[in-house]
Amino acid sequence: MTTQIARQAPAVLPGPNEPCWCGSGSKYKKCHRGADAVEARKKGADVQRRGISPGIISPRRSVPAHIPRPDYAETGRPVRSPELPEVKSPDVIARMRRAGQAAAKVLQMTGAAVRPGITTDELDAIAHEAYIQLGGYPSTLNYHGYPKSLCTSVNEVICHGIPDSRPLEEGDIINLDITIFLEGVHGDCSATFFVGKVDPDSERLVRVTRECLDLGIAAVKPGRPINDIGRVIEEHATKNGMSVVRAYCGHGIGERFHSPLQIPHYYEAGADTIMKPGMTFTVEPMINLGHWQHRSWDDGWTAVTADGSRSAQFEHTLLVTEQGAEILTLP
Ligand code: MF3
Ligand code: CO
Ligand code: CO
């Protein structure tokens, strides 16, 4: 009688002092444990390589001198000015309508260029030209040192992906996040696009995320607390087996890109500021197919899902009205 000698490590490995899986009769720790650890590390590296990896970031694009720029354009640091009111004057609101419409147009023009093979840097060039054509400055350019004119967040990238040399691949999903500074105010919007044909889970993710934004907008009502918005978004995401990113929120917007008002996309009891007509803020849910936890790349910007699952996002800039919300970022 001969014993079959196993060649491949089983899925469940022996304890250190148990007999090795190979049938040698030696303790596992004296036999295959070291080799198995090396193999496991190799597989781990393969898993990481399957995701998006950082590409090359091109030199900074310039903005013609005649385009008015925000206070941080040269230094990278927004000027610390006294808090501006979250309820805007009719004059600011009128300018925000025009900035919002311009942002939506840039998003439309850049989104139309999404196809397999185009690099995210080429999308940056298209967006950059579009902002300038409309007389606006790309709000992200040098904002706290951010190097590009939009954020391009592919697959498991949650937000703040930096345009680089990576060509889009059939089956990718990509969020384009556009913010314009026009007439002294910012308009901020984003959408997730399909690159060719995508898998059914990605289709479902993008549809549910879009629905989350729509439900969040429908929850905007004067006299109600901000946390009504996150409540309906979280409910819809979790009902569909998805999760809501917690680290990044919607924000007050106007003469400043990000004002202190925060809009969580999950239910947060403390977010009890009452919505008032004239307030302007963004709703921009980031929804993950897996868990909500994120990791940051060492570029200091790119946020990815911790579990490698895909993430989608849609964003609008809104004005609270007597009836509900007016969407400012429509083309
Ligand atoms: N547009 C993003 C938002 O929705 C902010 C991008 S800031 C950047 O708030 F610096 F990362 F570009
Ligand atoms: Co944005
Ligand atoms: Co925003």
mmCIF file of all heavy atoms in Angstrom, residues 221-263:
data_model
loop_
_atom_site.group_PDB
_atom_site.id
_atom_site.type_symbol
_atom_site.label_atom_id
_atom_site.label_comp_id
_atom_site.label_asym_id
_atom_site.label_seq_id
_atom_site.Cartn_x
_atom_site.Cartn_y
_atom_site.Cartn_z
ATOM 1 N N LYS A 221 -35.864 70.045 1.531
ATOM 2 C CA LYS A 221 -37.102 70.783 1.842
ATOM 3 C C LYS A 221 -36.789 71.834 2.896
ATOM 4 O O LYS A 221 -36.198 71.511 3.929
ATOM 5 C CB LYS A 221 -38.153 69.818 2.454
ATOM 6 C CG LYS A 221 -38.778 68.813 1.494
ATOM 7 C CD LYS A 221 -40.016 69.400 0.870
ATOM 8 C CE LYS A 221 -40.598 68.643 -0.313
ATOM 9 N NZ LYS A 221 -39.845 67.666 -1.007
ATOM 10 N N PRO A 222 -37.182 73.092 2.664
ATOM 11 C CA PRO A 222 -36.936 74.099 3.693
ATOM 12 C C PRO A 222 -37.663 73.702 4.982
ATOM 13 O O PRO A 222 -38.754 73.123 4.929
ATOM 14 C CB PRO A 222 -37.538 75.376 3.087
ATOM 15 C CG PRO A 222 -38.480 74.906 2.028
ATOM 16 C CD PRO A 222 -37.953 73.599 1.530
ATOM 17 N N GLY A 223 -37.011 73.958 6.110
ATOM 18 C CA GLY A 223 -37.613 73.624 7.403
ATOM 19 C C GLY A 223 -37.220 72.237 7.896
ATOM 20 O O GLY A 223 -37.477 71.897 9.052
ATOM 21 N N ARG A 224 -36.633 71.419 7.029
ATOM 22 C CA ARG A 224 -36.222 70.057 7.414
ATOM 23 C C ARG A 224 -34.718 70.027 7.689
ATOM 24 O O ARG A 224 -33.967 70.823 7.131
ATOM 25 C CB ARG A 224 -36.544 69.064 6.277
ATOM 26 C CG ARG A 224 -38.045 68.912 5.968
ATOM 27 C CD ARG A 224 -38.800 68.257 7.091
ATOM 28 N NE ARG A 224 -38.156 67.010 7.525
ATOM 29 C CZ ARG A 224 -38.477 66.351 8.653
ATOM 30 N NH1 ARG A 224 -39.429 66.812 9.441
ATOM 31 N NH2 ARG A 224 -37.848 65.241 8.976
ATOM 32 N N PRO A 225 -34.269 69.098 8.538
ATOM 33 C CA PRO A 225 -32.823 69.004 8.805
ATOM 34 C C PRO A 225 -32.060 68.374 7.636
ATOM 35 O O PRO A 225 -32.616 67.547 6.903
ATOM 36 C CB PRO A 225 -32.750 68.099 10.043
ATOM 37 C CG PRO A 225 -34.016 67.303 10.013
ATOM 38 C CD PRO A 225 -35.061 68.157 9.349
ATOM 39 N N ILE A 226 -30.788 68.762 7.526
ATOM 40 C CA ILE A 226 -29.886 68.224 6.499
ATOM 41 C C ILE A 226 -29.851 66.688 6.523
ATOM 42 O O ILE A 226 -29.708 66.050 5.479
ATOM 43 C CB ILE A 226 -28.450 68.793 6.747
ATOM 44 C CG1 ILE A 226 -28.370 70.275 6.350
ATOM 45 C CG2 ILE A 226 -27.374 67.974 6.056
ATOM 46 C CD1 ILE A 226 -28.376 70.571 4.872
ATOM 47 N N ASN A 227 -29.969 66.088 7.732
ATOM 48 C CA ASN A 227 -29.802 64.623 7.810
ATOM 49 C C ASN A 227 -30.941 63.825 7.172
ATOM 50 O O ASN A 227 -30.839 62.610 7.025
ATOM 51 C CB ASN A 227 -29.507 64.164 9.247
ATOM 52 C CG ASN A 227 -30.602 64.544 10.216
ATOM 53 O OD1 ASN A 227 -31.763 64.708 9.844
ATOM 54 N ND2 ASN A 227 -30.223 64.691 11.491
ATOM 55 N N ASP A 228 -32.006 64.509 6.745
ATOM 56 C CA ASP A 228 -33.035 63.841 5.923
ATOM 57 C C ASP A 228 -32.424 63.304 4.632
ATOM 58 O O ASP A 228 -32.848 62.276 4.102
ATOM 59 C CB ASP A 228 -34.130 64.843 5.512
ATOM 60 C CG ASP A 228 -35.253 64.953 6.539
ATOM 61 O OD1 ASP A 228 -35.105 64.385 7.646
ATOM 62 O OD2 ASP A 228 -36.273 65.606 6.224
ATOM 63 N N ILE A 229 -31.415 64.015 4.109
ATOM 64 C CA ILE A 229 -30.820 63.663 2.811
ATOM 65 C C ILE A 229 -30.069 62.342 2.926
ATOM 66 O O ILE A 229 -30.296 61.407 2.155
ATOM 67 C CB ILE A 229 -29.875 64.805 2.328
ATOM 68 C CG1 ILE A 229 -30.672 66.108 2.159
ATOM 69 C CG2 ILE A 229 -29.175 64.419 1.037
ATOM 70 C CD1 ILE A 229 -29.791 67.357 1.968
ATOM 71 N N GLY A 230 -29.176 62.253 3.925
ATOM 72 C CA GLY A 230 -28.399 61.030 4.124
ATOM 73 C C GLY A 230 -29.289 59.844 4.489
ATOM 74 O O GLY A 230 -28.996 58.705 4.119
ATOM 75 N N ARG A 231 -30.363 60.126 5.209
ATOM 76 C CA ARG A 231 -31.257 59.036 5.622
ATOM 77 C C ARG A 231 -31.815 58.288 4.401
ATOM 78 O O ARG A 231 -31.742 57.067 4.321
ATOM 79 C CB ARG A 231 -32.417 59.601 6.461
ATOM 80 C CG ARG A 231 -33.301 58.549 7.098
ATOM 81 C CD ARG A 231 -34.700 59.083 7.404
ATOM 82 N NE ARG A 231 -34.677 60.325 8.176
ATOM 83 C CZ ARG A 231 -34.657 60.372 9.507
ATOM 84 N NH1 ARG A 231 -34.661 59.269 10.211
ATOM 85 N NH2 ARG A 231 -34.637 61.541 10.117
ATOM 86 N N VAL A 232 -32.323 59.036 3.422
ATOM 87 C CA VAL A 232 -32.943 58.363 2.263
ATOM 88 C C VAL A 232 -31.880 57.722 1.356
ATOM 89 O O VAL A 232 -32.110 56.671 0.762
ATOM 90 C CB VAL A 232 -33.853 59.316 1.443
ATOM 91 C CG1 VAL A 232 -35.032 59.778 2.295
ATOM 92 C CG2 VAL A 232 -33.093 60.507 0.877
ATOM 93 N N ILE A 233 -30.717 58.357 1.291
ATOM 94 C CA ILE A 233 -29.645 57.797 0.452
ATOM 95 C C ILE A 233 -29.158 56.476 1.052
ATOM 96 O O ILE A 233 -29.042 55.458 0.355
ATOM 97 C CB ILE A 233 -28.479 58.801 0.302
ATOM 98 C CG1 ILE A 233 -28.932 60.000 -0.550
ATOM 99 C CG2 ILE A 233 -27.248 58.129 -0.306
ATOM 100 C CD1 ILE A 233 -27.933 61.137 -0.621
ATOM 101 N N GLU A 234 -28.889 56.481 2.351
ATOM 102 C CA GLU A 234 -28.375 55.264 3.007
ATOM 103 C C GLU A 234 -29.398 54.131 2.908
ATOM 104 O O GLU A 234 -29.036 52.984 2.654
ATOM 105 C CB GLU A 234 -28.049 55.569 4.472
ATOM 106 C CG GLU A 234 -27.438 54.380 5.194
ATOM 107 C CD GLU A 234 -26.942 54.730 6.589
ATOM 108 O OE1 GLU A 234 -27.519 55.626 7.247
ATOM 109 O OE2 GLU A 234 -25.964 54.093 7.029
ATOM 110 N N GLU A 235 -30.666 54.484 3.090
ATOM 111 C CA GLU A 235 -31.715 53.463 3.040
ATOM 112 C C GLU A 235 -31.730 52.788 1.658
ATOM 113 O O GLU A 235 -31.792 51.560 1.554
ATOM 114 C CB GLU A 235 -33.075 54.105 3.341
ATOM 115 C CG GLU A 235 -34.182 53.101 3.515
ATOM 116 C CD GLU A 235 -35.555 53.759 3.566
ATOM 117 O OE1 GLU A 235 -35.798 54.724 2.793
ATOM 118 O OE2 GLU A 235 -36.386 53.312 4.357
ATOM 119 N N HIS A 236 -31.657 53.590 0.607
ATOM 120 C CA HIS A 236 -31.716 53.032 -0.745
ATOM 121 C C HIS A 236 -30.475 52.193 -1.065
ATOM 122 O O HIS A 236 -30.580 51.132 -1.675
ATOM 123 C CB HIS A 236 -31.874 54.156 -1.774
ATOM 124 C CG HIS A 236 -32.198 53.674 -3.152
ATOM 125 N ND1 HIS A 236 -33.354 52.967 -3.440
ATOM 126 C CD2 HIS A 236 -31.506 53.766 -4.316
ATOM 127 C CE1 HIS A 236 -33.361 52.653 -4.730
ATOM 128 N NE2 HIS A 236 -32.246 53.123 -5.294
ATOM 129 N N ALA A 237 -29.303 52.672 -0.648
ATOM 130 C CA ALA A 237 -28.055 51.933 -0.934
ATOM 131 C C ALA A 237 -28.059 50.592 -0.201
ATOM 132 O O ALA A 237 -27.788 49.540 -0.806
ATOM 133 C CB ALA A 237 -26.844 52.766 -0.533
ATOM 134 N N THR A 238 -28.377 50.603 1.080
ATOM 135 C CA THR A 238 -28.287 49.360 1.865
ATOM 136 C C THR A 238 -29.367 48.369 1.425
ATOM 137 O O THR A 238 -29.111 47.169 1.378
ATOM 138 C CB THR A 238 -28.372 49.629 3.385
ATOM 139 O OG1 THR A 238 -29.506 50.446 3.635
ATOM 140 C CG2 THR A 238 -27.151 50.362 3.878
ATOM 141 N N LYS A 239 -30.540 48.881 1.052
ATOM 142 C CA LYS A 239 -31.607 48.011 0.541
ATOM 143 C C LYS A 239 -31.133 47.242 -0.691
ATOM 144 O O LYS A 239 -31.559 46.123 -0.947
ATOM 145 C CB LYS A 239 -32.803 48.907 0.167
ATOM 146 C CG LYS A 239 -34.117 48.200 -0.016
ATOM 147 C CD LYS A 239 -35.234 49.201 -0.291
ATOM 148 C CE LYS A 239 -35.103 49.786 -1.706
ATOM 149 N NZ LYS A 239 -35.999 50.949 -1.913
ATOM 150 N N ASN A 240 -30.217 47.846 -1.439
ATOM 151 C CA ASN A 240 -29.677 47.206 -2.641
ATOM 152 C C ASN A 240 -28.352 46.481 -2.385
ATOM 153 O O ASN A 240 -27.627 46.146 -3.325
ATOM 154 C CB ASN A 240 -29.505 48.248 -3.744
ATOM 155 C CG ASN A 240 -30.832 48.584 -4.404
ATOM 156 O OD1 ASN A 240 -31.308 47.855 -5.265
ATOM 157 N ND2 ASN A 240 -31.457 49.670 -3.968
ATOM 158 N N GLY A 241 -28.012 46.289 -1.113
ATOM 159 C CA GLY A 241 -26.809 45.537 -0.759
ATOM 160 C C GLY A 241 -25.518 46.303 -0.984
ATOM 161 O O GLY A 241 -24.445 45.711 -1.083
ATOM 162 N N MET A 242 -25.620 47.628 -1.082
ATOM 163 C CA MET A 242 -24.442 48.462 -1.323
ATOM 164 C C MET A 242 -24.164 49.311 -0.078
ATOM 165 O O MET A 242 -24.950 49.320 0.864
ATOM 166 C CB MET A 242 -24.668 49.339 -2.550
ATOM 167 C CG MET A 242 -24.931 48.499 -3.794
ATOM 168 S SD MET A 242 -25.416 49.490 -5.204
ATOM 169 C CE MET A 242 -26.004 48.187 -6.314
ATOM 170 N N SER A 243 -23.037 50.026 -0.087
ATOM 171 C CA SER A 243 -22.691 50.811 1.097
ATOM 172 C C SER A 243 -22.387 52.259 0.714
ATOM 173 O O SER A 243 -22.053 52.560 -0.437
ATOM 174 C CB SER A 243 -21.502 50.185 1.818
ATOM 175 O OG SER A 243 -20.351 50.269 1.008
ATOM 176 N N VAL A 244 -22.517 53.135 1.707
ATOM 177 C CA VAL A 244 -22.324 54.572 1.499
ATOM 178 C C VAL A 244 -20.972 54.983 2.074
ATOM 179 O O VAL A 244 -20.681 54.718 3.239
ATOM 180 C CB VAL A 244 -23.435 55.376 2.220
ATOM 181 C CG1 VAL A 244 -23.204 56.879 2.065
ATOM 182 C CG2 VAL A 244 -24.809 54.980 1.700
ATOM 183 N N VAL A 245 -20.147 55.643 1.274
ATOM 184 C CA VAL A 245 -18.849 56.152 1.733
ATOM 185 C C VAL A 245 -19.093 57.207 2.808
ATOM 186 O O VAL A 245 -19.958 58.078 2.659
ATOM 187 C CB VAL A 245 -18.061 56.752 0.549
ATOM 188 C CG1 VAL A 245 -16.812 57.494 1.029
ATOM 189 C CG2 VAL A 245 -17.691 55.641 -0.439
ATOM 190 N N ARG A 246 -18.331 57.127 3.900
ATOM 191 C CA ARG A 246 -18.537 58.031 5.037
ATOM 192 C C ARG A 246 -17.497 59.141 5.120
ATOM 193 O O ARG A 246 -17.731 60.169 5.761
ATOM 194 C CB ARG A 246 -18.551 57.214 6.336
ATOM 195 C CG ARG A 246 -19.621 56.118 6.312
ATOM 196 C CD ARG A 246 -19.550 55.227 7.533
ATOM 197 N NE ARG A 246 -20.077 55.870 8.722
ATOM 198 C CZ ARG A 246 -21.337 55.821 9.115
ATOM 199 N NH1 ARG A 246 -22.229 55.158 8.403
ATOM 200 N NH2 ARG A 246 -21.716 56.426 10.224
ATOM 201 N N ALA A 247 -16.363 58.938 4.476
ATOM 202 C CA ALA A 247 -15.248 59.875 4.658
ATOM 203 C C ALA A 247 -15.430 61.174 3.862
ATOM 204 O O ALA A 247 -14.778 62.174 4.158
ATOM 205 C CB ALA A 247 -13.936 59.210 4.272
ATOM 206 N N TYR A 248 -16.259 61.145 2.835
ATOM 207 C CA TYR A 248 -16.432 62.332 1.981
ATOM 208 C C TYR A 248 -17.907 62.691 1.924
ATOM 209 O O TYR A 248 -18.748 61.812 1.769
ATOM 210 C CB TYR A 248 -15.887 62.070 0.574
ATOM 211 C CG TYR A 248 -14.410 61.719 0.577
ATOM 212 C CD1 TYR A 248 -14.003 60.390 0.656
ATOM 213 C CD2 TYR A 248 -13.442 62.717 0.544
ATOM 214 C CE1 TYR A 248 -12.651 60.054 0.695
ATOM 215 C CE2 TYR A 248 -12.095 62.403 0.584
ATOM 216 C CZ TYR A 248 -11.700 61.068 0.651
ATOM 217 O OH TYR A 248 -10.376 60.749 0.700
ATOM 218 N N CYS A 249 -18.196 63.986 2.045
ATOM 219 C CA CYS A 249 -19.574 64.468 2.144
ATOM 220 C C CYS A 249 -19.851 65.525 1.087
ATOM 221 O O CYS A 249 -18.923 66.088 0.498
ATOM 222 C CB CYS A 249 -19.796 65.099 3.515
ATOM 223 S SG CYS A 249 -19.588 63.941 4.875
ATOM 224 N N GLY A 250 -21.134 65.830 0.900
ATOM 225 C CA GLY A 250 -21.502 67.026 0.151
ATOM 226 C C GLY A 250 -21.124 68.248 0.994
ATOM 227 O O GLY A 250 -20.782 68.115 2.174
ATOM 228 N N HIS A 251 -21.226 69.439 0.403
ATOM 229 C CA HIS A 251 -20.687 70.637 1.058
ATOM 230 C C HIS A 251 -21.402 71.890 0.595
ATOM 231 O O HIS A 251 -21.884 71.951 -0.539
ATOM 232 C CB HIS A 251 -19.195 70.767 0.722
ATOM 233 C CG HIS A 251 -18.905 70.632 -0.761
ATOM 234 N ND1 HIS A 251 -18.838 71.718 -1.605
ATOM 235 C CD2 HIS A 251 -18.721 69.540 -1.544
ATOM 236 C CE1 HIS A 251 -18.606 71.295 -2.841
ATOM 237 N NE2 HIS A 251 -18.533 69.968 -2.840
ATOM 238 N N GLY A 252 -21.406 72.887 1.476
ATOM 239 C CA GLY A 252 -21.845 74.204 1.059
ATOM 240 C C GLY A 252 -20.918 74.711 -0.030
ATOM 241 O O GLY A 252 -19.738 74.346 -0.080
ATOM 242 N N ILE A 253 -21.457 75.529 -0.944
ATOM 243 C CA ILE A 253 -20.688 76.018 -2.093
ATOM 244 C C ILE A 253 -21.220 77.375 -2.500
ATOM 245 O O ILE A 253 -22.401 77.674 -2.276
ATOM 246 C CB ILE A 253 -20.768 74.988 -3.254
ATOM 247 C CG1 ILE A 253 -19.905 75.426 -4.457
ATOM 248 C CG2 ILE A 253 -22.221 74.722 -3.688
ATOM 249 C CD1 ILE A 253 -19.741 74.335 -5.510
ATOM 250 N N GLY A 254 -20.386 78.184 -3.111
ATOM 251 C CA GLY A 254 -20.788 79.518 -3.564
ATOM 252 C C GLY A 254 -19.550 80.274 -3.963
ATOM 253 O O GLY A 254 -18.807 79.852 -4.848
ATOM 254 N N GLU A 255 -19.256 81.380 -3.238
ATOM 255 C CA GLU A 255 -18.016 82.106 -3.516
ATOM 256 C C GLU A 255 -16.804 81.285 -3.087
ATOM 257 O O GLU A 255 -15.700 81.519 -3.553
ATOM 258 C CB GLU A 255 -18.050 83.469 -2.811
ATOM 259 C CG GLU A 255 -19.102 84.375 -3.456
ATOM 260 C CD GLU A 255 -19.412 85.593 -2.613
ATOM 261 O OE1 GLU A 255 -20.180 85.454 -1.632
ATOM 262 O OE2 GLU A 255 -18.895 86.678 -2.934
ATOM 263 N N ARG A 256 -17.036 80.339 -2.184
ATOM 264 C CA ARG A 256 -15.997 79.377 -1.819
ATOM 265 C C ARG A 256 -16.357 78.009 -2.394
ATOM 266 O O ARG A 256 -17.523 77.654 -2.498
ATOM 267 C CB ARG A 256 -15.838 79.268 -0.298
ATOM 268 C CG ARG A 256 -15.729 80.626 0.387
ATOM 269 C CD ARG A 256 -15.363 80.463 1.842
ATOM 270 N NE ARG A 256 -14.034 79.870 1.958
ATOM 271 C CZ ARG A 256 -12.907 80.581 1.877
ATOM 272 N NH1 ARG A 256 -12.955 81.889 1.703
ATOM 273 N NH2 ARG A 256 -11.738 79.989 1.971
ATOM 274 N N PHE A 257 -15.304 77.234 -2.760
ATOM 275 C CA PHE A 257 -15.504 75.896 -3.330
ATOM 276 C C PHE A 257 -16.172 74.987 -2.280
ATOM 277 O O PHE A 257 -17.180 74.335 -2.546
ATOM 278 C CB PHE A 257 -14.129 75.360 -3.761
ATOM 279 C CG PHE A 257 -14.107 74.109 -4.596
ATOM 280 C CD1 PHE A 257 -12.913 73.715 -5.203
ATOM 281 C CD2 PHE A 257 -15.233 73.323 -4.797
ATOM 282 C CE1 PHE A 257 -12.841 72.566 -5.981
ATOM 283 C CE2 PHE A 257 -15.171 72.165 -5.578
ATOM 284 C CZ PHE A 257 -13.979 71.786 -6.158
ATOM 285 N N HIS A 258 -15.594 74.980 -1.074
ATOM 286 C CA HIS A 258 -16.149 74.176 0.018
ATOM 287 C C HIS A 258 -16.342 75.078 1.227
ATOM 288 O O HIS A 258 -15.374 75.577 1.785
ATOM 289 C CB HIS A 258 -15.209 73.031 0.398
ATOM 290 C CG HIS A 258 -15.023 72.014 -0.698
ATOM 291 N ND1 HIS A 258 -13.948 72.021 -1.557
ATOM 292 C CD2 HIS A 258 -15.784 70.957 -1.077
ATOM 293 C CE1 HIS A 258 -14.053 71.016 -2.415
ATOM 294 N NE2 HIS A 258 -15.161 70.357 -2.151
ATOM 295 N N SER A 259 -17.594 75.288 1.635
ATOM 296 C CA SER A 259 -17.859 76.071 2.844
ATOM 297 C C SER A 259 -18.083 75.089 3.998
ATOM 298 O O SER A 259 -18.153 73.881 3.777
ATOM 299 C CB SER A 259 -19.065 76.978 2.605
ATOM 300 O OG SER A 259 -20.247 76.228 2.674
ATOM 301 N N PRO A 260 -18.185 75.578 5.243
ATOM 302 C CA PRO A 260 -18.228 74.655 6.386
ATOM 303 C C PRO A 260 -19.434 73.701 6.407
ATOM 304 O O PRO A 260 -19.358 72.638 7.024
ATOM 305 C CB PRO A 260 -18.283 75.594 7.598
ATOM 306 C CG PRO A 260 -17.693 76.877 7.119
ATOM 307 C CD PRO A 260 -18.057 76.979 5.673
ATOM 308 N N LEU A 261 -20.530 74.038 5.767
ATOM 309 C CA LEU A 261 -21.717 73.162 5.812
ATOM 310 C C LEU A 261 -21.415 71.798 5.191
ATOM 311 O O LEU A 261 -20.941 71.709 4.064
ATOM 312 C CB LEU A 261 -22.866 73.853 5.048
ATOM 313 C CG LEU A 261 -24.197 73.098 4.997
ATOM 314 C CD1 LEU A 261 -24.794 72.941 6.386
ATOM 315 C CD2 LEU A 261 -25.174 73.817 4.065
ATOM 316 N N GLN A 262 -21.688 70.732 5.931
ATOM 317 C CA GLN A 262 -21.419 69.357 5.464
ATOM 318 C C GLN A 262 -22.725 68.605 5.228
ATOM 319 O O GLN A 262 -23.667 68.729 6.009
ATOM 320 C CB GLN A 262 -20.653 68.597 6.543
ATOM 321 C CG GLN A 262 -19.274 69.163 6.806
ATOM 322 C CD GLN A 262 -18.229 68.062 6.725
ATOM 323 O OE1 GLN A 262 -18.102 67.388 5.710
ATOM 324 N NE2 GLN A 262 -17.495 67.872 7.807
ATOM 325 N N ILE A 263 -22.741 67.809 4.160
ATOM 326 C CA ILE A 263 -23.930 67.013 3.841
ATOM 327 C C ILE A 263 -23.526 65.529 3.831
ATOM 328 O O ILE A 263 -23.097 65.012 2.787
ATOM 329 C CB ILE A 263 -24.506 67.382 2.446
ATOM 330 C CG1 ILE A 263 -24.460 68.901 2.168
ATOM 331 C CG2 ILE A 263 -25.907 66.793 2.250
ATOM 332 C CD1 ILE A 263 -25.373 69.749 3.020
#
